[in-house]
Amino acid sequence: MAWLVALVVIPLLLGAIGYGLAERSRSQVTGPSGGVPTLTHTSTPGATRKPPAIPPISLAPLSISRKGNDITLRGDFPDDMAKGALLEAVRSSVGPNVNVIDTIRINPNINALDFSDAGPVFSAAASMTDFKLDVNGDTVTLAGTAATTDQADAVEQAADDAWPNLNIVDKIEISGPITLTGSPSPPSPGPPR
């Protein structure tokens, strides 16, 4: 008798389980019925989102000027370590025959230009006896007289590499012949007549 009951009940039980699974998968495909909740953004009409305000870089004014064998440093630095980076960059690039006149003041309440990677700028400008570098806000201005366009370009490129997030203004003049790279050379004169 138990076999007979098991023979009838087990297929019914399996059928009920299969039917339940079929209904469950059908409801997952079609999804719930009724209204579906949605998310909406509520804002006042005409309101626009303001981008976050990024404060501009405001560096303390600084002037480095060379006249012959004298280089004068004027401005403020926040500490002796920052000032030391400038002195090292200048002294290591111009050699012992140049006098460095240091009038830098220490003011811990200011932001100053970082000179830790500035050695190549002063090395490229080492032969310019009237080189000048000014810092004001977020702008570094280069001036002086270069012997060639290559030298002027090297100074500007070194400044771009040292301070990529600042505005570099190149006011360097060329004293020698100006060479244009990539330009055709002027036609040569023909044979004399």
Side-chain angles (χ1 to χ4, degrees), residues 180 182-188:
L180 301 175
S183 299
S185 59
S188 59

Side-chain angles (χ1 to χ4, degrees), residues 77-94:
F77 274 89
D79 55 41
D80 286 325
M81 192 168 159
K83 176 182 171 180
L86 169 63
L87 290 171
E88 175 62 27
V90 171
R91 287 182 177 145
S92 67
S93 63
V94 294

Side-chain angles (χ1 to χ4, degrees), residues 18-31:
Y19 179 76
L21 288 175
E23 278 299 309
R24 185 174 175 191
S25 66
R26 213 181 347 241
S27 69
Q28 287 176 346
V29 170
T30 59

Side-chain angles (χ1 to χ4, degrees), residues 74-122:
R74 289 186 184 94
D76 294 336
F77 274 89
D79 55 41
D80 286 325
M81 192 168 159
K83 176 182 171 180
L86 169 63
L87 290 171
E88 175 62 27
V90 171
R91 287 182 177 145
S92 67
S93 63
V94 294
N97 297 333
V98 176
N99 303 318
V100 177
I101 303 165
D102 176 10
T103 63
I104 300 281
R105 297 175 306 263
I106 301 298
N107 179 353
N109 299 320
I110 55 100
N111 291 322
L113 185 61
D114 180 10
F115 283 90
S116 58
D117 293 329
V121 176
F122 297 109

Side-chain angles (χ1 to χ4, degrees), residues 145-153 172-186:
T145 307
T148 65
T149 55
D150 290 342
Q151 181 183 26
D153 291 344
I172 298 174
E173 297 177 1
I174 312 300
S175 67
I178 297 176
T179 57
L180 301 175
T181 57
S183 299
S185 59

Side-chain angles (χ1 to χ4, degrees), residues 139-161:
T139 303
V140 176
T141 304
L142 308 170
T145 307
T148 65
T149 55
D150 290 342
Q151 181 183 26
D153 291 344
V155 174
E156 182 180 8
Q157 184 60 53
D160 283 334
D161 292 344

